[in-house]
Amino acid sequence: MSGNNINNRKAITALLEQSKAGLEAEREHERKHFQEWVLRMPLAERKKAGYSWYPLDIQRKGYTIGGRAFVIFTRINNIGEPHKFRSGNTVRLFTQYASANKAEMNGVIHFVEKNKMKVILSSKDHPDWIDKGMCGVDLGFEERSYVEMAKAHNKVAQAEKDRIAELRDILLGFKTEEKHPIASIPNIKLNPSQNQALNHLNSNHLVSIIHGPPGTGKTTTIVEAVRELSKRMNNILLCAPSNTAVDLLTERLAAAGIHVLRIGNISRVSESLLYHTLEAKLGTHPEAKTLKKIRKDAAEARRKAKKYKRNFDRDAYLERKDLFREAAELETWAHQLEQRLIDQIISSAQVICATLVGASDRVLENIKFPMCIIDEAAQALMPSCWIPISRSAKVALVGDPQQLPPTIKSDQARKHRFERTLLEYALQYNHTASLLNIQYRMHEQIMQFSNERFYKGALQADASVKEVRLQIAANQPLQFIDTAGCGFEEQVNPSSKSRFNPDEYLIIREHMLQLIEACKKEGDQADIAIISPYKEQVSYIEDQLKDDEQLRDHQIKVSTIDGYQGQEKDVVYISLVRCNEKGDIGFLKDYRRMNVAMTRAKRMLVLVGDSGTISSDKFYSAFLNHIDQVQAYRSAWEFMQ
């Protein structure tokens, strides 16, 4: 081995050891938090903190398409109180009924709507205590994702002289990929930069990078690339970090007429896409009735066998033994038949969609994919990306490192630079990345500051959106409403420690009422969103809108910035919240988060904040200068009544 190879090997090992240390730190932080703050709490405290609902009113029981039991219930106490439950969370359904057998069962939340929850259980049967009252539900700790990431990380770290090692070394910048000819396959649905990305994916290159800034049509590019690739290969693996992102891809691919299979826990799949899941396709297969009958016969044989008492005679003993043997043989037959059907369904799919962790599903464990495409790669932890990559011959990373990074909760993990993504490494070292440079979402003026600050002015607004405005007199696409001098001090919720600014919302409300009235007069319609970096501000605004007779019927979307990535509205208000004498802006310093916020609006973007507080920061000082240059400044005094 040459000295250069030895040095590369040491550098790769050091980098991957750092990533592994970050993964372990994050896992330990999450586990410790759960054990200390959830498991050790008395039930009354868990309820108060939002980690438990108890008691429950069981409203409905049933079975999913895949034959798994589900329960729908409401909470009886703490109605309307904040809680930690979210769709996709692992939970523990339990009972305090004294004589209950196996008093708990795990499951996954399918949906949470105010005080109502649907949980799909990790069983084909409901617990026998479910109708006896005294039931509750606890938030659970999601261990599986960490286990799968660790397994994939170790596999990649140990790889030598194979395709996994080759992909790893190219992505991390320790090996330069040989250049291959790129044939031009013009697609009239795509612009030149999108076509360039498609052609690179369709070439013999092992690694492709698509840098897709906001509104540049990366999902459209992915769909067309899959359509082209599927002409010569099946079983393309398409992944993203979240179920929401995977569902969007599944929906778009299916609408394009591509045969798509959605892999994953059906409790985490949108109901509108259940038809594309493995469970649904199994359930509608011509041999599904045969499979169901075999399993029913096996269950009946077991039921008969269990009827025999312990003090049975020899004939009864032999009969019982025969019944158990019959049940086992039937189960084996059912398993073999089911596996054959699963193999048929998977092999016929042009593209398989799953989350990054979902790519480790046991039904995919023996498949070597010809290509994997990872969307939203800028939000994906490096070890999670290794899961699909370690099972693929080629890889494409799609995303934008100038938008939200992965969520890291452990300070120790940050010390190991665990937030740095594989896409960032690949973009740093791979000079063949394709930049999608035409955006189709927003007015040119809304785009301008982010374009200059994050993309070196490389983006262009397509003619279809370049001058798109609201059809009203006051149709300035970009506005900053300054609350300086108004005395709108930020406040802190003592329980959540999150910040909010009630007065700032009043300015947004007045501006919004004027805008809605102006649109009504001109016959224009505009969908509206209000976003903020602070959860407490979002909660406050949501509560205000519920009781607002003038606004509650307008279906205004309210969200944190993190929750709104990938979405868009005609009009977007950003509530910055921070207003203090120290000029402390907290995590407004995460400029990538603000890039996301500033690129959600199509026809009008309105930011509301205190210039005195934010101007000490270089980023916001540059933004305020930009506001002056485009004459987009307004004072909050205009909207105070």
Side-chain angles (χ1 to χ4, degrees), residues 280-325:
K281 291 182 182 295
L282 268 175
T284 56
H285 194 281
E287 294 190 62
K289 289 182 179 179
T290 303
L291 181 60
K292 189 174 181 180
K293 185 179 185 307
I294 296 169
R295 287 205 162 128
K296 185 178 178 182
D297 290 344
E300 179 63 16
R302 276 195 305 272
R303 186 188 65 79
K304 287 179 179 179
K306 289 176 181 178
K307 278 189 173 182
Y308 287 99
K309 306 296 182 185
R310 287 187 179 275
N311 56 345
F312 43 70
D313 58 24
R314 178 172 173 76
D315 289 342
Y317 168 79
L318 293 173
E319 177 66 18
R320 180 175 183 269
K321 187 177 179 181
D322 286 343
L323 286 167
F324 272 127
R325 185 176 63 248

Side-chain angles (χ1 to χ4, degrees), residues 22 54 56 163 245 254 428 467 525:
Y54 180 86
L56 305 176
R163 182 53 61 86
Q428 181 177 350
E467 291 294 334
Q525 286 187 329

Side-chain angles (χ1 to χ4, degrees), residues 443-449 466 476-478 626 630 632:
H443 188 283
E444 187 174 42
Q445 198 174 108
I446 297 173
M447 175 192 78
Q448 189 176 355
F449 180 74
K466 188 174 183 177
Q476 175 77 0
L478 175 65
H626 176 74
V630 298

Side-chain angles (χ1 to χ4, degrees), residues 434-448:
S434 301
L435 173 70
L436 306 184
N437 65 355
I438 300 177
Q439 69 85 12
Y440 298 87
R441 175 180 296 158
M442 66 202 94
H443 188 283
E444 187 174 42
Q445 198 174 108
I446 297 173
M447 175 192 78
Q448 189 176 355

Side-chain angles (χ1 to χ4, degrees), residues 339-351:
Q339 191 57 55
R340 180 166 60 82
L341 301 186
I342 288 172
D343 290 345
Q344 287 177 6
I345 293 167
I346 291 175
S347 63
S348 65
Q350 291 176 292
V351 59

